[in-house]
Amino acid sequence: MKIKFLSNFVILSIAIFIVAYSANNILSTQTSTTKTTAPVSSSAAKALELAHEAFQYANEIRAQNNKAPLTWDQDVADQANIHSKVMGDTIPKHQGDTKLSHDGFQDRFNNIYSKHSSLSAMGENVAETSEQPDVAKFVTDKWMGHPPHRDNLLDTQNYGFTKTGIGFYLADDNHWYATAIYAKF
């Protein structure tokens, strides 16, 4: 199993960006995404399966922590999937650089806002790992083991997250890239 290192994280490279945007912080330019229908590959089918496993597992963890379950939102999941793919397809500028990022977070916020104008808060967790026997559980457990990620998943900052969408992508480097977006609308 290959594991990347980022800052002081030894087990799994995970980046976090906890942001709560109010509707007043939305940029005036909106970014749109175009959906196309294509045949589903086996890795795409596995990615969808992992997303739903991570969703179910996250809600189990929330229940154990006396938190209401999150509701799946496909518009949020679409943005999570796009971002996971972007990270997986990114070629790092320097050897040893990570592909993990929150680049484009404002665009993802704007894209979701364009479909849900009551969107008022959003947080995001990202992760990367080489293939594990149980990728969804592995990634979710790592998020739970890191306080800022845990804060997003359990909404300990009380942003009022009620919706989520999770995306996984298997890149050519045989690593899984995951994005979980948490939203209030």
Side-chain angles (χ1 to χ4, degrees):
M1 171 177 85
K2 282 180 139 182
I3 300 173
K4 296 224 177 210
F5 296 88
L6 176 67
S7 298
N8 294 328
F9 301 112
V10 176
I11 298 176
L12 175 70
S13 174
I14 301 176
I16 183 87
F17 192 80
I18 303 173
V19 178
Y21 280 95
S22 69
N24 296 333
N25 290 343
I26 299 170
L27 295 177
S28 59
T29 55
Q30 299 283 320
T31 304
S32 64
T33 58
T34 304
K35 292 184 182 178
T36 57
T37 304
V40 178
S41 69
S42 62
S43 64
K46 178 67 175 173
L48 183 60
E49 177 185 322
L50 290 172
H52 287 283
E53 286 175 12
F55 169 69
Q56 290 174 344
Y57 186 52
N59 274 333
E60 289 172 17
I61 291 170
R62 287 176 61 86
Q64 292 166 3
N65 286 273
N66 299 315
K67 297 287 185 174
L70 295 167
T71 304
W72 184 268
D73 184 87
Q74 193 56 49
D75 296 324
V76 175
D78 290 346
Q79 293 301 306
N81 279 311
I82 290 166
H83 187 58
S84 293
K85 184 175 183 337
V86 166
M87 287 189 300
D89 289 345
T90 297
I91 298 171
K93 293 178 182 165
H94 306 292
Q95 185 175 358
D97 282 356
T98 182
K99 295 180 176 188
L100 292 176
S101 79
H102 294 284
D103 293 349
F105 181 86
Q106 183 67 53
D107 291 336
R108 289 186 289 288
F109 183 92
N110 291 345
N111 288 337
I112 295 167
Y113 181 82
S114 73
K115 296 178 180 182
H116 302 280
S117 62
S118 60
L119 175 65
S120 61
M122 192 170 105
E124 177 177 88
N125 290 353
V126 297
E128 172 191 6
T129 184
S130 57
E131 195 166 356
Q132 303 291 324
D134 190 349
V135 175
K137 186 176 183 316
F138 181 82
V139 166
T140 306
D141 284 343
K142 292 305 164 194
W143 285 334
M144 284 300 294
H146 184 249
H149 293 96
R150 180 184 173 91
D151 290 347
N152 268 352
L153 199 150
L154 295 178
D155 192 22
T156 60
Q157 302 299 311
N158 297 316
Y159 292 120
F161 298 145
T162 58
K163 309 288 185 186
T164 192
I166 304 170
F168 281 81
Y169 177 72
L170 182 61
D172 290 341
D173 64 3
N174 224 17
H175 285 221
W176 284 101
Y177 294 81
T179 305
I181 298 175
Y182 310 95
K184 175 185 179 183
F185 54 83

